[in-house]
Amino acid sequence: MPPLRYGQFLRRRYRAILAYTGLVTLLLGILILSPLVALLAWPEETAELPWFLLPGGGLALSGAALWWRMKPAQPMALSLQEGAVIVVLCWLAAMLVGSIPFLGKTGLNFNQAVFEATSGWTTTGLSVVDVTRASHLVLLYRSTMQLAGGAGLAILMLAAFGGPLGAGLSTAEGKDQQLVPHVRRSTKLVVSIYTGYVLAGVMALRWAGMNWFDAVNHSFCAISTGGFSTKPDSIGYWNSPLVEAVVIPLMILGNLNFLTSYALLKGRFSWVFRNGEVRLQALLLPLGCCFLFLTATRF
């Protein structure tokens, strides 16, 4: 390729990387802002508004400006290397900017706030927040992070909202299962599946005895298998077999890969039970339950 054409090619690829990074950070900013809807129910927590509005609004505006300035005329297919660059940049933004809301009234320092944000977005589940002191805004924010992180933050945001063609970004994100040949349509199906799981979980947990706020938070965290809770004792606070009977299936469903979930919802049960992941879970879960029962009864 002649040097001039090669230089034009590189500039086009770099612009695409910046554009799609801007799109993800725009939607990431919206995610940071989303817990502010809780102010409708708890207006007394308005003092925490700047801790969400400034990072979320700033990230959304900067991402929108980057996308508007750099967006390609047509959606472009990203290579694995280009997708990896976008994923790294977006996860850094998520962990650093996403830590700012924890610097409010939670009593966390910057290192602890970054730890909490990283744990939330990556659905690790380790927490340094005292949930007995945290506001409803912070608790909802933690659960929202886990839901978005569990679904695959970058690929779901980009592909579901007009992102790139091709599987480079989804592979870099670690979500390389395609439900249908078209990447964007496949990702929209994943969003639909997750939405259905969440709504079913909220309604079931409300029926099991939780209030609406706790049901929303625990549905988010059960589907993402992240484990954050609004109570220090987690679901043990309710001491309810009904709550446990709802949460366990939600976690199992959230643990399935997208292809298996899609086959399950389509009623292709023979394919599901031929899946090695499902067979292994079917073996390990009863063994784990028996082990816990036998060891717990000793104490």
Side-chain angles (χ1 to χ4, degrees), residues 3 5 9 23 61 80 85 90 92 131 146 182 197 203 236 247 265-266 270 273:
R5 290 185 59 189
F9 172 79
L23 182 57
L61 290 175
L80 175 60
V85 172
C90 294
L92 284 174
V131 296
Q146 289 207 327
H182 195 286
Y197 284 168
M203 300 305 297
V247 169
L265 293 176
K266 294 290 286 186
S270 60
F273 291 117

Side-chain angles (χ1 to χ4, degrees), residues 39-216:
L39 289 177
L40 297 174
W42 294 278
E44 65 275 8
E45 297 181 1
T46 306
E48 295 211 33
L49 178 64
W51 295 102
F52 291 86
L53 188 60
L54 293 178
L59 200 58
L61 290 175
S62 61
L66 195 58
W67 169 248
W68 180 81
R69 182 70 179 84
M70 298 291 183
K71 66 179 178 180
Q74 297 293 332
M76 299 176 63
L78 296 176
S79 67
L80 175 60
Q81 292 79 8
E82 292 164 343
V85 172
I86 294 174
V87 168
V88 170
L89 292 175
C90 294
W91 278 103
L92 284 174
M95 290 182 287
L96 295 177
V97 181
S99 68
I100 295 177
F102 294 118
L103 298 175
K105 295 185 177 181
T106 59
L108 302 185
N109 58 37
F110 178 72
N111 289 338
Q112 291 170 327
V114 171
F115 177 91
E116 189 75 16
T118 303
S119 180
W121 292 118
T122 59
T123 68
T124 305
L126 299 175
S127 178
V128 291
V129 168
D130 183 355
V131 296
T132 61
R133 296 174 51 195
S135 65
H136 293 87
L137 293 181
V138 169
L139 294 176
L140 183 58
Y141 176 53
R142 294 163 76 240
S143 302
T144 302
M145 286 193 302
Q146 289 207 327
L147 181 66
L153 177 65
I155 176 58
L156 290 186
M157 285 181 171
L158 271 178
F161 294 92
L165 304 173
L169 185 64
S170 58
T171 303
E173 176 71 4
K175 307 289 183 181
D176 56 351
Q177 306 99 346
Q178 284 186 227
L179 308 186
V180 293
H182 195 286
V183 174
R184 195 178 304 164
R185 186 179 166 214
S186 179
T187 307
K188 288 181 179 179
L189 286 173
V190 171
V191 173
S192 300
I193 291 172
Y194 254 65
T195 302
Y197 284 168
V198 167
L199 293 177
V202 170
M203 300 305 297
L205 288 171
R206 181 70 181 93
W207 172 79
M210 289 187 180
N211 60 42
W212 285 112
F213 181 75
D214 289 329
V216 168

Side-chain angles (χ1 to χ4, degrees), residues 210 218 229 231 233-240 243-244 247:
M210 289 187 180
H218 285 84
S229 177
K231 307 294 182 184
D233 298 328
S234 190
I235 60 171
Y237 170 86
W238 285 272
N239 193 26
S240 167
V243 169
E244 295 168 11
V247 169

